[in-house]
């Protein structure tokens, strides 16, 4: 945890590989390294801003983390880089510096330390105060003590068989958690663009997720092994979306390594995972590389949405849909029903916005290189076209949608052309 943070150099080859959306060892390594460095910066910021600084209670929790790290660095790293930890760290920093509003939840740093100590196997003693009768232990689950008040914890405090313990559910394969427990699994409702996570699922709900997850991974392994491996490396948790959500999935920058998703059939869930992981990759890249200088004014047409989008949203959408077009093309080559139609429709959507995207005057040099490489990846799909005239039909349909959108938004029509 004390290793110095260094700047990142993104080579042209790595930038091109990321822009293509195709998995690569260098791209995956860069994304993971960026996420880890950013998390350490956030955690150090929390420690420095906490009342009492390095001499207060937060420092004691940090010392326990360091002791656990000396015994099992991997276990501690998994706790600190768990997606929900990022949500807590960002929210805590905001609260520490805000003159008004709710106090920062610094007690959660103690919960992180206890979870790390438990996973590392060291002997320890700590006293924490449950919130609303529950004490979350990130990556493990939560405790429901029988009595209110501070809770004395030791290395024997966590027993998954204890009725007082709720264990974080692991999806089949063991690498990804289905998180319906952590209070920081998604930002609070006050955060812009927030979505509502589901409450604790029933055993039947967990079983349904297990079945859908297994089916989705089977399809990914069959159709696109490289993307299946990438998802395994970049996705640490899945958060079930609350009922009534209109979205099939969402990715939140603060929760790097996590996606929110609703229950859905395996083919749809596989596509959602492909789509959402791309958002996470692009978010990490944007943390170290400025791709554009545009503001957040919604003015661009995006064929996959009815509302105008800012340039950032258009870039993210085109990037995620480019990956989906590639995924459905591979699925079609394996004979997946309806895959050619999905590929043709999504590729036509991406192709329709790439000219406007690439020629945008507020792209940086890196942004122009990135979007140019996206265009190269889109054109390469010509090597394996869908049968018949499906691609031409899809392009004509998208062009009709563009004209209809321009008729509804005549003041924004100039932003639909390259």
């Amino acid at each position: 945890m004390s290793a110095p943070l260094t700047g990142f150099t993104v080579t042209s080859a790595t930038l091109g590989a990321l822009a293509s959306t195709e998995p690569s060892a260098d791209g995956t390594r860069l994304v993971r390294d960026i996420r880890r460095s950013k998390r350490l910066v956030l955690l150090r910021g929390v420690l420095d801003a906490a009342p009492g600084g390095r001499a207060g209670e937060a420092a004691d929790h940090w010392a326990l983390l360091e002791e656990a790290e000396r015994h099992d660095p991997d276990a501690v790293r998994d706790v600190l880089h768990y997606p929900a930890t990022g949500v807590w760290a960002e929210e805590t920093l905001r609260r520490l510096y805000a003159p008004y509003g709710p106090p920062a939840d610094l007690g959660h740093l103690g919960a992180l330390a206890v979870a790390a100590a438990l996973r590392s196997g060291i002997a320890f003693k700590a006293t924490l105060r449950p919130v609303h009768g529950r004490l979350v232990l990130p990556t493990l689950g939560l405790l429901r003590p029988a009595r209110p008040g501070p809770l004395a914890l030791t290395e024997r405090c966590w027993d998954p068989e204890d009725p007082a313990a709720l264990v974080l559910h692991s999806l089949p394969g063991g690498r990804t958690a289905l998180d319906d427990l952590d209070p920081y699994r998604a930002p609070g409702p006050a955060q812009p663009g927030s979505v509502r996570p589901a409450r604790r699922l029933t055993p039947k709900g967990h079983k349904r997720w297990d079945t859908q997850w297994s089916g989705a991974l089977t399809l990914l392994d069959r159709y696109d092994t490289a993307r299946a491996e990438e998802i395994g490396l970049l996705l640490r948790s899945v958060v079930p979306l609350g009922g009534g959500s209109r979205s099939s999935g969402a990715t939140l920058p603060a929760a790097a390594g996590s996606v929110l998703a609703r229950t859905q059939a395996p083919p749809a869930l596989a596509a959602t995972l492909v789509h959402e992981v791309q958002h996470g990759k692009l978010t990490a890249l944007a943390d170290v590389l400025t791709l554009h200088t545009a503001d957040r004014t919604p003015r661009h047409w995006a064929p996959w949405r009815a509302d105008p989008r800012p340039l950032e949203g258009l870039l993210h959408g085109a990037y995620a849909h480019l990956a989906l077009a590639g995924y459905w093309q591979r699925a079609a080559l394996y004979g997946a029903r309806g895959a050619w139609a999905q590929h043709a429709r999504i590729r036509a959507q991406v192709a329709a916005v790439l000219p406007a995207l690439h020629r945008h005057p507020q792209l940086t040099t890196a942004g122009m290189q990135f979007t140019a490489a996206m265009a190269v990846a889109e054109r390469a799909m010509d090597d394996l076209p869908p049968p018949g005239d499906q691609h031409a039909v899809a392009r004509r349909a998208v062009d009709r949608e563009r004209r209809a959108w321009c008729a509804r938004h005549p003041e924004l029509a100039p932003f639909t052309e390259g």
Side-chain angles (χ1 to χ4, degrees):
M1 289 184 294
S2 59
L5 300 180
T6 59
F8 288 91
T9 299
V10 184
T11 66
S12 295
T14 301
L15 183 64
L18 283 170
S20 74
T21 79
E22 293 298 323
S24 70
D26 287 344
T28 298
R29 187 181 306 111
L30 178 66
V31 169
R32 297 178 76 182
D33 287 348
I34 291 169
R35 288 175 174 177
R36 289 168 178 167
S37 293
K38 183 178 180 180
R39 183 65 50 81
L40 292 179
V41 169
L42 285 170
L43 291 170
R44 178 57 70 181
V46 169
L47 179 62
D48 291 343
R54 297 169 188 258
E57 185 180 49
D60 294 335
H61 298 326
W62 191 267
L64 180 55
L65 281 166
E66 290 183 327
E67 182 183 354
E69 185 187 42
R70 286 191 287 270
H71 287 78
D72 192 339
D74 290 339
V76 176
R77 187 179 298 116
D78 190 48
V79 172
L80 294 185
H81 296 287
Y82 188 67
T85 303
V87 177
W88 166 78
E90 290 199 10
E91 184 172 316
T92 298
L93 272 178
R94 280 193 294 268
R95 291 184 178 186
L96 285 170
Y97 285 104
Y100 306 103
D105 179 15
L106 290 171
H108 192 73
L109 183 60
L112 292 168
V114 168
L118 287 167
R119 291 191 52 182
S120 69
I122 64 173
F124 69 94
K125 291 182 180 179
T127 301
L128 300 178
R129 185 178 293 276
V131 178
H132 303 304
R134 295 185 170 196
L135 179 65
V136 64
L137 297 173
T139 73
L140 293 174
L142 59 82
L143 289 172
R144 299 170 294 178
R147 295 186 299 274
L151 188 63
L153 303 166
T154 70
E155 64 275 11
R156 295 182 295 276
C157 70
W158 178 252
D159 179 3
E161 302 300 324
D162 189 333
L166 284 179
V167 180
L168 184 68
H169 186 77
S170 291
L171 290 165
R175 292 190 294 183
T176 306
L178 182 70
D179 196 341
D180 56 349
L181 287 177
D182 198 300
Y184 292 101
R185 60 192 183 274
Q191 300 307 317
S194 60
V195 290
R196 185 169 62 87
R199 295 183 178 182
R200 172 71 173 177
L201 301 181
T202 64
K204 183 178 180 180
H206 286 154
K207 185 175 181 180
R208 183 181 182 188
W209 262 101
D210 287 347
T211 300
Q212 293 173 337
W213 177 261
S214 296
L217 289 192
T218 296
L219 294 176
L220 285 165
D221 282 328
R222 180 185 304 159
Y223 300 149
D224 201 335
T225 304
R227 290 200 192 279
E229 293 175 352
E230 180 183 62
I231 289 169
L233 290 170
L234 295 181
L235 193 61
R236 179 64 180 84
S237 68
V238 175
V239 176
L241 273 170
S245 173
R246 292 178 297 175
S247 174
S248 60
T251 301
L252 305 176
S258 178
V259 303
L260 291 101
R262 63 176 171 81
T263 54
Q264 49 198 303
L269 180 58
T272 294
L273 295 176
V274 170
H275 182 278
E276 296 302 332
V277 165
Q278 307 311 309
H279 286 304
K281 288 162 60 178
L282 186 51
T283 295
L285 180 64
D287 280 333
V288 298
L289 200 63
T290 301
L291 299 176
H292 67 85
T293 58
D295 60 23
R296 295 187 172 275
T297 303
R299 54 168 64 99
H300 297 280
W301 168 64
W304 42 85
R305 292 182 63 133
D307 54 329
R309 301 293 288 152
L311 181 64
E312 178 74 4
L314 182 64
L315 177 60
H316 264 272
Y319 185 67
H321 281 81
L322 177 63
L324 269 183
Y327 169 71
W328 284 118
Q329 185 180 50
R330 288 181 172 88
L333 294 170
Y334 274 87
R337 181 178 298 177
W340 275 126
Q342 290 273 29
H343 162 73
R345 176 180 61 85
I346 296 171
R347 184 191 170 189
Q349 292 175 334
V350 174
V353 300
L354 277 175
L357 194 57
H358 178 58
R359 297 172 192 165
H360 196 285
Q362 289 179 283
L363 287 183
T364 62
T365 300
M368 288 187 285
Q369 293 173 347
F370 189 81
T371 55
M374 288 176 62
V376 169
E378 186 271 323
R379 289 193 298 270
M381 294 178 186
D382 281 335
D383 293 342
L384 296 167
D389 62 349
Q390 291 187 59
H391 188 42
V393 170
R395 280 181 177 269
R396 289 195 293 271
V398 170
D399 192 52
R400 288 194 299 271
E401 292 169 8
R402 185 211 309 262
R403 292 195 297 271
W405 190 90
C406 289
R408 293 193 301 271
H409 305 278
E411 75 284 3
L412 299 179
F415 296 101
T416 68
E417 302 294 340

